[in-house]
């Protein structure tokens, strides 16, 4: 099978042939159909995450089909469509896991970092990493939803914003274009904030009621005119842009 | 909610937090059960990522495209 691997930190990708991996107990083998390329794959490519063993196959936005079950796997079936995201398995024994807070497991496994991820034709993952993929989504659509999608969806649904609240999304990019859509479907009044006027039409098409070009307009004033944001979803990877927008929050707002 | 990953400090004065009792919070993705919720909600409501696809063999090109910041918007390898 073909894999795209990083041979050592900072080195170029290599396309190589490898033996098919076998799923151990509690694991499944997935025939990968699609895998998203995420900004945090830089951690594997450049070796900035500590303790990565090389060569390593990146990829934590994986969509595919279960191809082989390891011993003891009873709740998943061969041929079932599954996805694997950033959460690649928890240890079930650390203090966070003992409280049921698997997201904050102190030994969280991450596909593409702790073990080989989705830049390959077949990958092995533990069952606690699996999400079922519904019929109505293609593999290529499902893949980015397993990291960029879940991050925006889950952040917004835990943000405390209620239907009708003013929610601002800073950045119309990889995260922001999903954040705008989810925020709109959650029933918020969505203000999208981007650089330049060229994102305006797209932001509105995705569900923003208002678009603010923060090169031409003072976004804080624009938000305060609308009563202040209950939540600002800060997706743009710029600490400066985030900091400048803080005062766009309304009373008891969260940013 | 802060979800855009950066390594530079945020500059917010304590008085900005106190005025209006406002908060700053970060958020990391979620569990596979949360992923399943995300996928089902997307299926139900029509939320879809905008993607550019590349074959696995072009992983290096796909990765460079992601890094360029010019992709609209998520880069996806297909097998």
């Amino acid at each position: 099978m073909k894999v795209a691997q990083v041979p050592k930190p900072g080195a170029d990708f290599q396309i190589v042939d490898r033996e098919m991996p076998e799923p151990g107990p509690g694991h499944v083998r997935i025939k990968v159909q699609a895998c998203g390329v995420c900004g945090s794959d830089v951690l594997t490519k450049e070796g900035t995450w500590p303790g990565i063993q090389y060569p390593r196959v990146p990829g934590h936005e994986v969509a595919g089909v279960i191809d082989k079950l390891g011993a003891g796997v009873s709740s998943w079936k061969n041929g079932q469509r599954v996805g694997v995201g950033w959460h690649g398995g928890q240890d079930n024994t650390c203090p966070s896991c003992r409280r049921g807070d698997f997201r904050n497991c102190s030994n969280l496994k991450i596909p593409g970092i702790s073990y080989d991820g989705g830049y390959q034709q077949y990958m092995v993952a533990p069952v606690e990493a699996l999400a079922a993929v519904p019929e109505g989504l293609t593999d290529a659509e499902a893949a980015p939803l397993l990291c960029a999608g879940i991050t925006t969806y889950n952040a917004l649904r835990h943000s405390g914003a209620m239907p009708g609240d003013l929610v601002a999304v800073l950045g119309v990019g990889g995260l922001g274009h999903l954040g705008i859509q989810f925020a709109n479907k959650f029933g918020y009044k969505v203000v999208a904030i981007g650089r330049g006027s060229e994102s305006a039409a797209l932001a509105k098409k995705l569900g923003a009621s208002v678009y603010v070009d923060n090169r031409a307009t003072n976004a804080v004033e624009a938000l305060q005119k609308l009563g202040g944001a209950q939540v600002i979803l800060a997706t743009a990877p710029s600490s400066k842009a985030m900091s400048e927008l803080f005062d766009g929050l309304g009373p008891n707002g969260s940013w | 909610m802060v979800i855009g990953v950066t390594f530079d400090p945020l500059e917010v004065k304590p008085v900005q937090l106190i005025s209006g009792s406002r908060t700053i919070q970060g958020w990391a993705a979620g569990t596979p059960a949360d992923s399943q919720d995300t996928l089902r909600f997307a299926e139900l409501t029509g939320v879809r990522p905008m993607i550019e696809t590349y074959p696995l063999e072009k992983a290096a090109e796909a990765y460079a495209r992601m890094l360029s910041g010019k992709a609209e918007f998520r880069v996806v390898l297909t097998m």
Side-chain angles (χ1 to χ4, degrees):
Chain A
M1 67 162 192
K2 272 203 188 72
V3 320
Q5 68 179 20
V6 179
K8 58 182 184 186
D12 289 340
F13 281 98
Q14 292 173 333
I15 307 292
V16 299
D17 279 313
R18 280 200 198 171
E19 294 280 309
M20 291 271 274
E22 290 299 318
H27 288 63
V28 300
R29 185 169 70 199
I30 300 165
K31 183 179 192 298
V32 180
Q33 309 278 25
C35 182
V37 177
C38 180
S40 39
D41 293 342
V42 171
L43 300 169
T44 303
K45 177 72 169 54
E46 302 304 326
T48 31
W49 189 278
I52 299 181
Q53 290 175 12
Y54 290 86
R56 183 54 84 218
V57 177
H60 58 264
E61 294 185 348
V62 188
V65 183
I66 294 181
D67 166 74
K68 191 171 182 183
L69 303 176
V73 177
S74 54
S75 51
W76 299 87
K77 287 181 285 196
N78 267 323
Q80 189 171 357
R81 296 181 68 208
V82 289
V84 179
W86 180 260
H87 188 110
Q90 69 274 1
D91 70 2
N92 290 315
T93 58
C94 73
S96 290
C97 285
R98 292 186 62 210
R99 292 177 192 284
D101 183 13
F102 303 123
R103 195 168 62 97
N104 288 314
C105 173
S106 42
N107 296 300
L108 182 71
K109 285 187 186 148
I110 304 155
I113 289 180
S114 320
Y115 55 87
D116 284 335
Y119 287 25
Q120 56 180 341
Q121 289 179 307
Y122 292 85
M123 83 174 260
V124 167
V127 286
E128 62 271 22
L130 301 179
V133 176
E135 232 172 70
L137 296 174
T138 67
D139 295 305
E141 288 169 343
L145 291 173
L146 291 154
C147 180
I150 182 186
T151 301
T152 48
Y153 172 84
N154 222 15
L156 285 171
R157 73 171 174 169
H158 287 95
S159 70
M162 301 293 278
D165 281 350
L166 191 72
V167 169
V169 178
L170 173 63
V172 185
L175 289 168
H177 88 288
L178 288 163
I180 293 167
Q181 294 179 68
F182 284 126
N184 169 262
K185 296 297 183 188
F186 286 3
Y188 308 145
K189 178 167 178 164
V190 184
V191 180
I193 301 165
R195 284 180 301 165
S197 56
E198 53 290 355
S199 304
L202 174 66
K204 290 198 173 164
K205 191 177 144 215
L206 294 172
S209 298
V210 180
Y211 177 77
V212 176
D213 168 6
N214 68 359
R215 278 186 185 152
T217 310
N218 182 322
V220 167
E221 283 174 15
L223 289 176
Q224 287 302 342
K225 251 185 225 165
L226 295 165
Q230 179 59 40
V231 167
I232 297 175
L233 189 69
T235 75
S238 159
S239 302
K240 185 167 177 283
M242 291 182 192
S243 301
E244 286 170 359
L245 195 59
F246 184 83
D247 282 330
L249 280 180
N252 306 305
S254 165
W255 171 97
Chain B
M1 306 281 274
V2 177
I3 57 171
V5 180
T6 73
F7 297 91
D8 307 317
L10 293 168
E11 286 181 22
V12 175
K13 300 180 186 86
V15 67
Q16 289 175 281
L17 289 170
I18 294 163
S19 151
S21 304
R22 300 180 293 189
T23 56
I24 298 180
Q25 190 187 352
W27 191 269
T31 64
D34 293 322
S35 287
Q36 218 164 286
D37 292 346
T38 307
L39 294 169
R40 287 175 57 191
F41 185 86
E43 183 192 42
L44 183 70
T45 59
V47 171
R48 294 290 186 276
M50 292 169 66
I51 58 174
E52 296 181 3
T53 61
Y54 289 77
L56 176 64
E57 294 74 13
K58 293 197 171 166
E61 201 181 308
Y63 179 81
R65 178 72 178 160
M66 178 280 295
L67 274 189
S68 76
K70 289 179 184 156
E72 290 188 343
F73 285 98
R74 302 296 295 188
V75 175
V76 178
L77 296 172
T78 54
M79 316 309 167

